[in-house]
Amino acid sequence: MATSAWTRDGRPVYAGMYSIGDWEVLKQTAQLGEFVMPCCKAPAVLKTSINGLQFFSHLSVECATAPESLWHQAGKVAVLAALNSLGIVGRDEVPGESPRGEKWEADVLFSIGGRSIAIELQCSYQHLRDFIRRHDRYTESGVECYWLARKGVFATLSKSTTRLLLERNFGGRFPPGGIGTGLLPELPVAMLLDDGDRPVCFGLGRVATLSAWLNAIIDGTYQYNGGSWAFD
């Protein structure tokens, strides 16, 4: 199951961008191969779940792609499709280099209003120091970076950042008002769920569509406050 897919000519498409009626028409009229799965480029079938979620599915057997790779590939297409719904053209796997000669490759990169913004999707374990090192490379390159982490990765990272935040700002003890999710102000990270029409989880249990999350980054309302990155 995936809420985003590629068209035959390489355009990212988000299933949620269609009204219920348009989706039903498309399900009846789309030709096999008109849409392909983000993980393996196999033909996609348009479906609707019992709960009304519109999604793309493999034609027959499930994809043999590793779960981590499937999440990463599907995530990139979902971000690109969400940007497309906002009228923004994003690019994936964009290489770059910091002023010190350190190379990087953005999962998704887009430009708007003179800003260059990278979206990094992290599906496997990565030490906090590697998050910070990679994030700093983007900052030194004049690129804003925002992270989407898989659920387990986000949970592990939050434990590490909580420890650091407590030691750095509160002498190792929890303050009376708490510290939100315990994230760092210099490292904006949200959780990207595997499916659903509101797949971005941030702050203390808030959820949003990718389009809404990206729009909050663009308009500056996605901000750090009290240990959490969030927007209203």
Side-chain angles (χ1 to χ4, degrees):
M1 176 190 292
T3 54
S4 301
W6 295 106
T7 62
R8 182 188 287 117
D9 57 358
R11 291 181 293 108
V13 177
Y14 173 52
M17 67 186 290
Y18 295 96
S19 68
I20 295 175
D22 288 345
W23 184 254
E24 290 301 317
V25 170
L26 197 58
K27 283 164 63 176
Q28 300 299 321
T29 60
Q31 298 181 353
L32 185 63
E34 187 172 340
F35 298 96
V36 297
M37 295 299 290
C39 48
C40 58
K41 301 296 177 70
V45 179
L46 286 66
K47 296 184 178 181
T48 304
S49 75
I50 193 172
N51 297 318
L53 176 66
Q54 297 170 181
F55 66 96
F56 298 94
S57 176
H58 288 83
L59 177 62
S60 53
V61 297
E62 282 299 308
C63 179
T65 306
E68 293 83 4
S69 298
L70 173 59
W71 181 91
H72 193 259
Q73 293 297 327
K76 284 195 301 182
V77 177
V79 171
L80 289 168
L83 286 170
N84 190 53
S85 73
L86 297 173
I88 301 169
V89 177
R91 296 176 293 149
D92 65 328
E93 304 301 332
V94 182
E97 187 174 311
S98 74
R100 293 190 293 174
E102 295 180 305
K103 297 184 183 301
W104 48 262
E105 186 170 87
D107 284 332
V108 175
L109 186 71
F110 65 97
S111 298
I112 186 168
R115 301 160 62 192
S116 292
I117 301 174
I119 307 297
E120 282 293 311
L121 295 99
Q122 191 65 33
C123 61
S124 57
Y125 171 76
Q126 178 177 244
H127 196 281
L128 173 58
R129 62 172 172 267
D130 293 317
F131 271 103
I132 294 174
R133 176 181 55 83
R134 291 174 60 190
H135 194 84
D136 287 348
R137 277 193 315 209
Y138 283 114
T139 301
E140 293 169 3
S141 303
V143 177
E144 299 174 37
C145 180
Y146 297 86
W147 296 80
L148 289 170
R150 202 173 185 183
K151 186 175 182 179
V153 175
F154 183 89
T156 302
L157 175 65
S158 182
K159 291 178 182 177
S160 299
T161 56
T162 293
R163 287 195 296 268
L164 177 57
L165 192 66
L166 288 174
E167 293 170 1
R168 189 173 72 182
N169 295 0
F170 304 101
R173 297 183 178 183
F174 274 94
I179 55 170
T181 52
L183 294 180
L184 305 177
E186 64 267 32
L187 190 66
V189 186
M191 187 193 310
L192 181 64
L193 305 177
D194 289 330
D195 52 36
D197 60 349
R198 295 167 68 83
V200 183
C201 184
F202 56 94
L204 293 175
R206 300 182 187 180
V207 293
T209 64
L210 270 167
S211 297
W213 179 74
L214 288 165
N215 195 57
I217 290 173
I218 293 167
D219 68 18
T221 56
Y222 186 58
Q223 298 177 348
Y224 182 84
N225 184 35
S228 300
W229 279 91
F231 68 95
D232 294 324

